[in-house]
Amino acid sequence: MRYAIMIVIGLVIGIVGTAFAMNSLNQGPHLDKSVMHMMDFHMDGLHTAIDQNHCAVTDTLPHIQSLRALSNDIDPIFAKDITDPRFNQNASTLRASIDTVLANPPTDCAAVGAAMTRIGKSCKGCHQQFKD
């Protein structure tokens, strides 16, 4: 009798575990959150560069280039959830802001701060319309 109860408990735990696993697999990757986390990571890298006074182009340019590369992914990743044309315009504005910074990379901390402000305004414009 004890063995039968243990087998039933094992089966129930297995069924519940399988249901959780299948649900998790069906949800798919969360690319939208991943892209935003990576953009946040690179903005934090620029903040850190300013805080540590390491604002040479070689310190900051990789973060700015990564932001630009990630901004290319915004439209296709969010396309299935957001169909408002203002979203695409905001994404385009973000890319233009980053392109402006890349055309004349910041060479000191004041310029990095100004670049972050320009990029941050573009991010904020979209977040105000679609995130909040």
Side-chain angles (χ1 to χ4, degrees):
M1 180 67 172
R2 193 180 284 168
Y3 293 112
I5 292 173
M6 293 304 285
I7 289 173
V8 170
I9 291 172
L11 287 172
V12 169
I13 291 172
I15 291 169
V16 170
T18 301
F20 280 134
M22 293 302 292
N23 185 35
S24 178
L25 290 173
N26 287 335
Q27 289 182 359
H30 297 286
L31 294 176
D32 52 348
K33 292 180 183 174
S34 299
V35 167
M36 292 296 115
H37 284 298
M38 288 305 299
M39 292 187 85
D40 189 44
F41 169 80
H42 288 293
M43 288 296 280
D44 286 345
L46 293 172
H47 276 292
T48 301
I50 291 172
D51 291 343
Q52 295 176 353
N53 199 27
H54 294 286
C55 297
V57 173
T58 54
D59 296 323
T60 59
L61 191 59
H63 290 294
I64 299 167
Q65 290 171 330
S66 294
L67 286 168
R68 180 58 175 94
L70 288 166
S71 70
N72 289 335
D73 295 329
I74 291 174
D75 291 317
I77 288 175
F78 286 93
K80 65 180 187 222
D81 297 326
I82 302 174
T83 58
D84 189 331
R86 294 177 304 160
F87 181 81
N88 293 348
Q89 180 59 42
N90 283 323
S92 180
T93 301
L94 172 64
R95 286 189 291 275
S97 296
I98 298 171
D99 287 342
T100 301
V101 172
L102 285 172
N104 188 18
T107 56
D108 60 17
C109 289
V112 172
M116 288 181 63
T117 300
R118 166 177 262 149
I119 294 168
K121 283 183 181 178
S122 298
C123 292
K124 187 176 182 179
C126 189
H127 283 223
Q128 285 178 333
Q129 290 180 1
F130 297 100
K131 187 177 178 186
D132 298 334

